[in-house]
Tab-separated table of all heavy atoms in Angstrom:
chain	number	residue	atom	x	y	z
A	1	GLN	N	87.536	102.632	110.505
A	1	GLN	CA	86.913	101.311	110.611
A	1	GLN	C	87.957	100.209	110.484
A	1	GLN	O	87.873	99.180	111.146
A	1	GLN	CB	85.834	101.142	109.536
A	1	GLN	CG	84.615	101.978	109.778
A	1	GLN	CD	83.637	101.929	108.614
A	1	GLN	OE1	83.980	101.514	107.509
A	1	GLN	NE2	82.416	102.367	108.863
A	2	THR	N	88.938	100.426	109.653
A	2	THR	CA	89.989	99.432	109.448
A	2	THR	C	90.863	99.286	110.687
A	2	THR	O	91.275	98.184	111.034
A	2	THR	CB	90.855	99.814	108.229
A	2	THR	OG1	90.016	99.855	107.078
A	2	THR	CG2	91.967	98.807	108.001
A	3	THR	N	91.156	100.385	111.344
A	3	THR	CA	92.092	100.345	112.468
A	3	THR	C	91.421	100.058	113.813
A	3	THR	O	92.111	100.020	114.828
A	3	THR	CB	92.890	101.665	112.574
A	3	THR	OG1	91.984	102.756	112.726
A	3	THR	CG2	93.772	101.855	111.357
A	4	GLN	N	90.117	99.838	113.818
A	4	GLN	CA	89.449	99.465	115.065
A	4	GLN	C	89.999	98.131	115.554
A	4	GLN	O	90.288	97.234	114.760
A	4	GLN	CB	87.936	99.330	114.868
A	4	GLN	CG	87.234	100.637	114.715
A	4	GLN	CD	85.732	100.445	114.505
A	4	GLN	OE1	85.266	99.346	114.245
A	4	GLN	NE2	84.992	101.520	114.608
A	5	ALA	N	90.122	98.039	116.860
A	5	ALA	CA	90.639	96.799	117.456
A	5	ALA	C	89.711	95.627	117.130
A	5	ALA	O	88.498	95.769	117.138
A	5	ALA	CB	90.766	96.963	118.958
A	6	ARG	N	90.314	94.496	116.842
A	6	ARG	CA	89.547	93.274	116.585
A	6	ARG	C	90.345	92.081	117.063
A	6	ARG	O	91.559	92.150	117.191
A	6	ARG	CB	89.146	93.152	115.118
A	6	ARG	CG	90.256	93.207	114.123
A	6	ARG	CD	89.788	93.180	112.671
A	6	ARG	NE	88.985	92.022	112.367
A	6	ARG	CZ	88.006	92.007	111.455
A	6	ARG	NH1	87.737	93.069	110.772
A	6	ARG	NH2	87.322	90.923	111.218
A	7	LEU	N	89.658	91.000	117.310
A	7	LEU	CA	90.297	89.810	117.870
A	7	LEU	C	90.704	88.784	116.824
A	7	LEU	O	91.369	87.814	117.141
A	7	LEU	CB	89.363	89.151	118.892
A	7	LEU	CG	89.014	90.025	120.099
A	7	LEU	CD1	87.990	89.322	120.971
A	7	LEU	CD2	90.250	90.366	120.892
A	8	ASP	N	90.287	89.005	115.583
A	8	ASP	CA	90.595	88.025	114.547
A	8	ASP	C	91.130	88.726	113.303
A	8	ASP	O	91.014	89.936	113.161
A	8	ASP	CB	89.348	87.219	114.191
A	8	ASP	CG	88.246	88.096	113.598
A	8	ASP	OD1	88.225	89.315	113.871
A	8	ASP	OD2	87.405	87.573	112.861
A	9	VAL	N	91.701	87.954	112.438
A	9	VAL	CA	92.152	88.459	111.144
A	9	VAL	C	91.049	88.125	110.141
A	9	VAL	O	90.624	86.978	110.053
A	9	VAL	CB	93.484	87.788	110.729
A	9	VAL	CG1	93.879	88.201	109.328
A	9	VAL	CG2	94.573	88.129	111.727
A	10	PRO	N	90.571	89.124	109.406
A	10	PRO	CA	89.486	88.851	108.460
A	10	PRO	C	89.956	87.972	107.296
A	10	PRO	O	91.163	87.851	107.055
A	10	PRO	CB	89.080	90.238	107.972
A	10	PRO	CG	90.221	91.123	108.283
A	10	PRO	CD	90.956	90.519	109.421
A	11	PRO	N	89.018	87.398	106.566
A	11	PRO	CA	89.381	86.575	105.405
A	11	PRO	C	90.175	87.391	104.384
A	11	PRO	O	90.001	88.608	104.248
A	11	PRO	CB	88.035	86.150	104.817
A	11	PRO	CG	87.039	86.375	105.897
A	11	PRO	CD	87.575	87.456	106.770
A	12	LEU	N	91.040	86.722	103.666
A	12	LEU	CA	91.918	87.372	102.698
A	12	LEU	C	91.128	88.142	101.646
A	12	LEU	O	91.487	89.271	101.295
A	12	LEU	CB	92.828	86.332	102.028
A	12	LEU	CG	93.833	86.864	101.014
A	12	LEU	CD1	94.789	87.865	101.657
A	12	LEU	CD2	94.602	85.712	100.398
A	13	THR	N	90.042	87.571	101.142
A	13	THR	CA	89.266	88.258	100.093
A	13	THR	C	88.707	89.586	100.596
A	13	THR	O	88.752	90.588	99.886
A	13	THR	CB	88.121	87.372	99.584
A	13	THR	OG1	87.335	86.934	100.691
A	13	THR	CG2	88.643	86.173	98.826
A	14	GLU	N	88.207	89.610	101.809
A	14	GLU	CA	87.678	90.842	102.397
A	14	GLU	C	88.795	91.876	102.558
A	14	GLU	O	88.631	93.058	102.243
A	14	GLU	CB	87.035	90.557	103.750
A	14	GLU	CG	86.515	91.800	104.457
A	14	GLU	CD	86.015	91.497	105.855
A	14	GLU	OE1	85.525	90.369	106.100
A	14	GLU	OE2	86.117	92.391	106.711
A	15	THR	N	89.931	91.416	103.042
A	15	THR	CA	91.066	92.313	103.247
A	15	THR	C	91.537	92.899	101.927
A	15	THR	O	91.815	94.103	101.831
A	15	THR	CB	92.217	91.564	103.936
A	15	THR	OG1	91.758	91.080	105.198
A	15	THR	CG2	93.414	92.462	104.157
A	16	LEU	N	91.614	92.087	100.884
A	16	LEU	CA	92.069	92.581	99.580
A	16	LEU	C	91.093	93.596	98.992
A	16	LEU	O	91.505	94.585	98.376
A	16	LEU	CB	92.299	91.422	98.617
A	16	LEU	CG	93.480	90.506	98.966
A	16	LEU	CD1	93.556	89.331	97.993
A	16	LEU	CD2	94.790	91.269	99.013
A	17	GLU	N	89.793	93.392	99.197
A	17	GLU	CA	88.793	94.353	98.721
A	17	GLU	C	88.953	95.695	99.434
A	17	GLU	O	88.925	96.757	98.809
A	17	GLU	CB	87.379	93.818	98.940
A	17	GLU	CG	87.000	92.688	98.018
A	17	GLU	CD	85.685	92.026	98.398
A	17	GLU	OE1	84.984	92.547	99.305
A	17	GLU	OE2	85.353	91.004	97.792
A	18	ARG	N	89.127	95.643	100.744
A	18	ARG	CA	89.303	96.874	101.515
A	18	ARG	C	90.625	97.543	101.155
A	18	ARG	O	90.723	98.767	101.136
A	18	ARG	CB	89.224	96.577	103.000
A	18	ARG	CG	87.819	96.132	103.414
A	18	ARG	CD	87.732	95.738	104.843
A	18	ARG	NE	87.748	96.935	105.680
A	18	ARG	CZ	87.698	96.898	106.993
A	18	ARG	NH1	87.644	95.740	107.621
A	18	ARG	NH2	87.702	98.001	107.695
A	19	THR	N	91.633	96.736	100.857
A	19	THR	CA	92.928	97.279	100.454
A	19	THR	C	92.789	98.064	99.156
A	19	THR	O	93.336	99.164	99.029
A	19	THR	CB	93.962	96.143	100.298
A	19	THR	OG1	94.143	95.512	101.566
A	19	THR	CG2	95.297	96.671	99.791
A	20	GLU	N	92.059	97.527	98.192
A	20	GLU	CA	91.852	98.226	96.921
A	20	GLU	C	91.172	99.570	97.143
A	20	GLU	O	91.578	100.580	96.562
A	20	GLU	CB	91.015	97.365	95.967
A	20	GLU	CG	91.755	96.198	95.377
A	20	GLU	CD	90.875	95.379	94.448
A	20	GLU	OE1	89.955	95.958	93.825
A	20	GLU	OE2	91.108	94.168	94.356
A	21	SER	N	90.169	99.585	97.978
A	21	SER	CA	89.433	100.810	98.249
A	21	SER	C	90.315	101.857	98.932
A	21	SER	O	90.352	103.022	98.524
A	21	SER	CB	88.213	100.487	99.112
A	21	SER	OG	87.497	101.655	99.392
A	22	LEU	N	91.036	101.447	99.958
A	22	LEU	CA	91.922	102.382	100.649
A	22	LEU	C	93.068	102.836	99.747
A	22	LEU	O	93.499	103.991	99.808
A	22	LEU	CB	92.495	101.738	101.912
A	22	LEU	CG	91.826	102.126	103.221
A	22	LEU	CD1	92.387	101.324	104.381
A	22	LEU	CD2	91.914	103.589	103.499
A	23	THR	N	93.547	101.941	98.903
A	23	THR	CA	94.614	102.291	97.970
A	23	THR	C	94.160	103.399	97.031
A	23	THR	O	94.889	104.373	96.806
A	23	THR	CB	95.066	101.048	97.169
A	23	THR	OG1	95.633	100.113	98.078
A	23	THR	CG2	96.090	101.408	96.104
A	24	ARG	N	92.955	103.267	96.486
A	24	ARG	CA	92.428	104.313	95.591
A	24	ARG	C	92.351	105.649	96.319
A	24	ARG	O	92.754	106.685	95.783
A	24	ARG	CB	91.047	103.922	95.058
A	24	ARG	CG	91.076	102.886	93.963
A	24	ARG	CD	89.721	102.727	93.299
A	24	ARG	NE	88.640	102.435	94.227
A	24	ARG	CZ	88.285	101.221	94.641
A	24	ARG	NH1	88.958	100.171	94.202
A	24	ARG	NH2	87.291	101.054	95.482
A	25	GLY	N	91.835	105.636	97.531
A	25	GLY	CA	91.702	106.874	98.287
A	25	GLY	C	93.040	107.492	98.641
A	25	GLY	O	93.235	108.706	98.518
A	26	LEU	N	93.993	106.657	99.060
A	26	LEU	CA	95.311	107.164	99.434
A	26	LEU	C	96.070	107.697	98.213
A	26	LEU	O	96.726	108.734	98.285
A	26	LEU	CB	96.115	106.071	100.137
A	26	LEU	CG	97.419	106.486	100.801
A	26	LEU	CD1	97.210	107.628	101.792
A	26	LEU	CD2	98.056	105.301	101.501
A	27	LYS	N	95.954	107.007	97.079
A	27	LYS	CA	96.583	107.492	95.845
A	27	LYS	C	96.001	108.843	95.440
A	27	LYS	O	96.734	109.763	95.073
A	27	LYS	CB	96.386	106.494	94.702
A	27	LYS	CG	97.346	105.346	94.713
A	27	LYS	CD	97.105	104.464	93.506
A	27	LYS	CE	98.044	103.277	93.505
A	27	LYS	NZ	97.805	102.390	92.360
A	28	ALA	N	94.689	108.957	95.497
A	28	ALA	CA	94.035	110.211	95.114
A	28	ALA	C	94.444	111.343	96.043
A	28	ALA	O	94.723	112.461	95.587
A	28	ALA	CB	92.519	110.032	95.121
A	29	LEU	N	94.505	111.073	97.330
A	29	LEU	CA	94.916	112.092	98.291
A	29	LEU	C	96.368	112.491	98.054
A	29	LEU	O	96.711	113.682	98.060
A	29	LEU	CB	94.731	111.581	99.721
A	29	LEU	CG	95.060	112.566	100.839
A	29	LEU	CD1	94.180	113.808	100.756
A	29	LEU	CD2	94.893	111.883	102.193
A	30	SER	N	97.216	111.522	97.808
A	30	SER	CA	98.623	111.795	97.547
A	30	SER	C	98.791	112.646	96.288
A	30	SER	O	99.581	113.594	96.262
A	30	SER	CB	99.383	110.481	97.416
A	30	SER	OG	100.760	110.717	97.258
A	31	GLU	N	98.035	112.331	95.250
A	31	GLU	CA	98.093	113.113	94.014
A	31	GLU	C	97.583	114.531	94.238
A	31	GLU	O	98.136	115.495	93.699
A	31	GLU	CB	97.288	112.427	92.912
A	31	GLU	CG	97.929	111.162	92.393
A	31	GLU	CD	97.016	110.371	91.471
A	31	GLU	OE1	95.921	110.866	91.109
A	31	GLU	OE2	97.399	109.239	91.124
A	32	GLU	N	96.537	114.659	95.036
A	32	GLU	CA	95.973	115.975	95.329
A	32	GLU	C	96.991	116.857	96.061
A	32	GLU	O	97.024	118.066	95.881
A	32	GLU	CB	94.713	115.813	96.182
A	32	GLU	CG	93.995	117.098	96.503
A	32	GLU	CD	92.769	116.850	97.339
A	32	GLU	OE1	91.832	116.176	96.854
A	32	GLU	OE2	92.730	117.329	98.492
A	33	LEU	N	97.830	116.239	96.865
A	33	LEU	CA	98.802	116.977	97.674
A	33	LEU	C	100.187	117.046	97.031
A	33	LEU	O	101.145	117.457	97.673
A	33	LEU	CB	98.903	116.327	99.058
A	33	LEU	CG	97.617	116.323	99.876
A	33	LEU	CD1	97.775	115.449	101.105
A	33	LEU	CD2	97.207	117.739	100.243
A	34	ALA	N	100.288	116.659	95.781
A	34	ALA	CA	101.591	116.587	95.113
A	34	ALA	C	102.322	117.929	95.079
A	34	ALA	O	103.552	117.957	95.084
A	34	ALA	CB	101.422	116.055	93.700
A	35	ASP	N	101.611	119.022	95.061
A	35	ASP	CA	102.241	120.335	94.972
A	35	ASP	C	102.569	120.941	96.331
A	35	ASP	O	103.104	122.044	96.399
A	35	ASP	CB	101.348	121.302	94.205
A	35	ASP	CG	101.192	120.895	92.749
A	35	ASP	OD1	102.109	120.226	92.222
A	35	ASP	OD2	100.159	121.226	92.147
A	36	SER	N	102.257	120.225	97.399
A	36	SER	CA	102.512	120.754	98.737
A	36	SER	C	104.010	120.834	98.998
A	36	SER	O	104.762	119.928	98.655
A	36	SER	CB	101.859	119.864	99.797
A	36	SER	OG	102.176	120.344	101.087
A	37	ASP	N	104.413	121.925	99.627
A	37	ASP	CA	105.823	122.065	99.974
A	37	ASP	C	106.063	121.868	101.471
A	37	ASP	O	107.188	122.008	101.945
A	37	ASP	CB	106.366	123.419	99.514
A	37	ASP	CG	105.602	124.590	100.121
A	37	ASP	OD1	104.563	124.357	100.765
A	37	ASP	OD2	106.040	125.735	99.934
A	38	ARG	N	105.021	121.495	102.196
A	38	ARG	CA	105.166	121.236	103.631
A	38	ARG	C	105.934	119.934	103.838
A	38	ARG	O	105.639	118.914	103.226
A	38	ARG	CB	103.791	121.116	104.289
A	38	ARG	CG	103.066	122.446	104.309
A	38	ARG	CD	101.945	122.490	105.305
A	38	ARG	NE	102.423	122.134	106.636
A	38	ARG	CZ	101.811	121.250	107.410
A	38	ARG	NH1	100.729	120.647	107.006
A	38	ARG	NH2	102.280	120.980	108.600
A	39	GLU	N	106.926	119.989	104.688
A	39	GLU	CA	107.792	118.829	104.907
A	39	GLU	C	107.006	117.622	105.421
A	39	GLU	O	107.212	116.498	104.960
A	39	GLU	CB	108.907	119.177	105.890
A	39	GLU	CG	109.891	118.038	106.054
A	39	GLU	CD	111.061	118.401	106.948
A	39	GLU	OE1	111.188	119.562	107.350
A	39	GLU	OE2	111.858	117.500	107.228
């Protein structure tokens, strides 16, 4: 949903909220994969 093409830049508050949500998910995924030895 974030990477869908759009013609405008959303308001900063909306972007920061979505950033927090994606950050939590990416951190959790990164932690889950911490033991992976795949390059």
Side-chain angles (χ1 to χ4, degrees):
Q1 289 173 344
T2 300
T3 58
Q4 286 179 347
R6 56 184 303 149
L7 298 175
D8 63 335
V9 174
L12 182 60
T13 53
E14 177 186 329
T15 300
L16 292 176
E17 288 171 8
R18 293 176 75 181
T19 297
E20 286 180 30
S21 180
L22 260 174
T23 296
R24 283 191 305 273
L26 190 55
K27 279 183 181 179
L29 183 60
S30 184
E31 289 170 7
E32 183 180 296
L33 298 170
D35 294 334
S36 177
D37 58 352
R38 291 199 55 228
E39 185 176 354

